[in-house]
Amino acid sequence: MPFAVYVLGLAVFAQGTSEFMLSGLVSAIAADLDVSLSAAGLLTSAFAVGMVLGAPLMALFSRTWLRRRALLLFLAVFIAVHIVGALTPGYGVLLAARFVGALANAGFWAVALAAAVSMVPDGLRGRATAVVVGGVTIACVVGVPAGAVLGERWGWRAAFWAVAVVSLPALWAITRSVPGGVPGDRGRDRDRGRGGGTAPVADARGTASAGQGHETAPAPARTPAPIPVRDELRLLLAAPHLLPTLLTMALVQGATFCAFSYLEPLLTRTTGLTITWVPLALALFGAGAFLGVGAAGRYAERRPTAFIAYGMAALALGWSALALTAGRPVAALALIPLLGMLAFGTGTALITRVLGLAGRSSTLAGAFGTSAFNLGAAVGPWAGGLALEAGGGYRSPVWVSAALMALALLTEGARRLRRVRSRERASGSTAG
């Protein structure tokens, strides 16, 4: 695996920490800014909405840029808005900072996913995706619990400062290792991503030189021009089963974020744990997520349909079990890592499916996948907040997660039924 792919995972780690860390800080933010718990939860939704809107827009905006330039710009903006968020005294500015930071994060994700798969052979596409998404899971293991500890000891603003500081090394690493190609330059990115030495440089006669030796070599291939936007959109939307997969992704992530955003009040006010247990619980969820992403990278491409179907069914049962046993500390702490593993393993397999269905439209596919991922991240906390405001209690967001998973199973079942029927029609027409 090229080192540059791991660098992208490092940057995603910092961004994933920001995206998820509010799950351990909602009560502190609500108290400090004098807003309700559901309003503090909307800060996660605002970030997700920015990701939904920003992924396709930023991908289109930067599609003709050198990939390295786009990644550096998006990451620099991300750092800047976290400094603003750490300094702001008001909820409105913090809400806007979360939205703008999400736009930058969305652009980074869209370019990073396309860059990662372009630097590896097709057989390693799932692993490359898992490495990038794995940055989020490491954020859940390390970054999010660390943010909760910082928030407990020095206030929630310290967590924002920490994200900005941790992002700085990623800026340097991207300049040193990520190829500067544009979408469509798959072969060249793959070669440069391996760091395989000095490339020959051709002169006007087609003579290449490397180091002190000279040998005749063909002129380097011209970098393919990016696919026109209209053609790329047509290819993407014409891909069979893509839109149902995106809808399933949104529902799965909605279930994950709905329960995860309100995990801290569930554990402290229903399970009966003290606030010091929250970082451990978040770390357990992240550890499970890390294992789930690794499993998806290794096994999802062998039997992707079964991997996704079993994962979603287990999630529906798992969220229901957490809602029923939330009052028992041992049961709750045992279920949390299992649910993290199932949620991120299934989500990674769905992202890999999206990139595979899209074919040549890899940049916009990454953007659409990011949008679907974060549409769920926007709807989930919002739906959980509605359940809380309606007086459903702190278990109610978990029940909403179980309901969203039931809908995801229905959409996946409908997709598979349409696929079977289309195959039957195709075989019937061939036989006729």
Side-chain angles (χ1 to χ4, degrees):
M1 189 69 62
F3 175 70
V5 176
Y6 293 101
V7 169
L8 295 177
L10 169 67
V12 168
F13 161 75
Q15 296 173 359
T17 298
S18 173
E19 185 171 5
F20 290 101
M21 69 182 181
L22 296 194
S23 61
L25 303 173
V26 285
S27 295
I29 292 174
D32 184 39
L33 300 182
D34 194 24
V35 297
S36 67
L37 195 64
S38 58
L42 284 178
L43 292 169
T44 299
S45 291
F47 194 97
V49 169
M51 292 284 284
V52 170
L53 299 176
L57 292 177
M58 295 299 102
L60 290 173
F61 176 70
S62 63
R63 67 191 304 272
T64 59
W65 293 10
L66 297 178
R67 283 193 174 124
R68 182 169 55 238
R69 180 188 301 171
L71 292 169
L72 290 172
L73 175 62
F74 289 136
L75 188 55
V77 172
F78 180 83
I79 293 170
V81 297
H82 277 75
I83 295 174
V84 172
L87 294 172
T88 183
Y91 175 80
V93 176
L94 181 59
L95 191 68
R98 294 291 288 172
F99 180 78
V100 175
L103 292 178
N105 191 10
F108 189 96
W109 262 93
V111 178
L113 285 172
V117 298
S118 75
M119 289 186 285
V120 298
D122 289 341
L124 294 178
R125 186 175 56 202
R127 292 195 184 186
T129 303
V131 169
V132 176
V133 178
V136 176
T137 65
I138 296 174
C140 291
V141 176
V142 179
V144 175
V149 171
L150 288 173
E152 180 187 354
R153 294 188 177 183
W154 293 293
W156 62 269
R157 298 175 192 274
F160 278 72
W161 282 113
V163 168
V165 171
V166 170
S167 299
L168 292 175
L171 275 176
W172 176 84
I174 287 171
T175 63
R176 302 291 297 177
S177 63
V178 174
V182 296
D185 197 10
R186 183 179 178 88
R188 181 174 297 181
D189 276 5
R190 185 160 58 235
D191 294 338
R192 293 182 64 189
R194 293 193 185 105
T198 305
V201 179
D203 60 19
R205 296 169 298 178
T207 301
S209 63
Q212 297 180 347
H214 298 272
E215 61 180 0
T216 301
R222 183 175 299 174
T223 300
I227 305 172
V229 175
R230 182 179 301 176
D231 293 343
E232 190 166 355
L233 281 171
R234 187 182 298 114
L235 285 170
L236 187 63
L237 296 177
H241 311 295
L242 179 62
L243 294 179
T245 299
L246 292 172
L247 176 58
T248 302
M249 276 184 64
L251 290 169
V252 171
Q253 298 307 319
T256 301
F257 276 84
C258 181
F260 189 74
S261 296
Y262 300 100
L263 189 60
E264 177 255 319
L266 175 74
L267 293 175
T268 57
R269 306 181 194 189
T270 299
T271 309
L273 298 173
T274 62
I275 191 66
T276 56
W277 280 90
V278 173
L280 174 61
L282 295 175
L284 287 173
F285 185 91
F290 182 80
L291 294 175
V293 169
R298 289 183 176 274
Y299 306 116
E301 287 196 79
R302 300 179 186 176
R303 299 185 61 194
T305 301
F307 190 96
I308 291 169
Y310 291 146
M312 290 196 301
L315 277 169
L317 294 173
W319 290 124
S320 299
L322 180 61
L324 291 170
T325 62
R328 302 174 183 175
V330 174
L333 292 174
L335 282 169
I336 284 172
L338 177 62
L339 288 165
M341 180 180 66
L342 293 169
F344 276 82
T346 305
T348 301
L350 286 167
I351 292 174
T352 302
R353 177 193 282 177
V354 167
L355 294 174
L357 290 172
R360 295 178 65 200
S361 304
S362 60
T363 303
L364 282 182
F368 275 56
T370 301
S371 292
F373 186 100
N374 288 280
L375 178 62
V379 172
W382 172 75
L386 288 181
L388 285 172
E389 294 290 338
Y394 296 110
R395 299 174 193 250
S396 58
V398 189
W399 282 119
V400 173
S401 293
L404 290 173
M405 284 309 308
L407 289 175
L409 284 168
L410 289 176
T411 60
E412 176 67 7
R415 186 198 69 84
R416 292 184 66 180
L417 181 61
R418 284 194 296 270
R419 184 178 181 182
V420 169
R421 288 179 176 176
S422 64
R423 286 181 175 178
E424 289 176 349
R425 286 195 297 267
S427 61
S429 62
T430 302

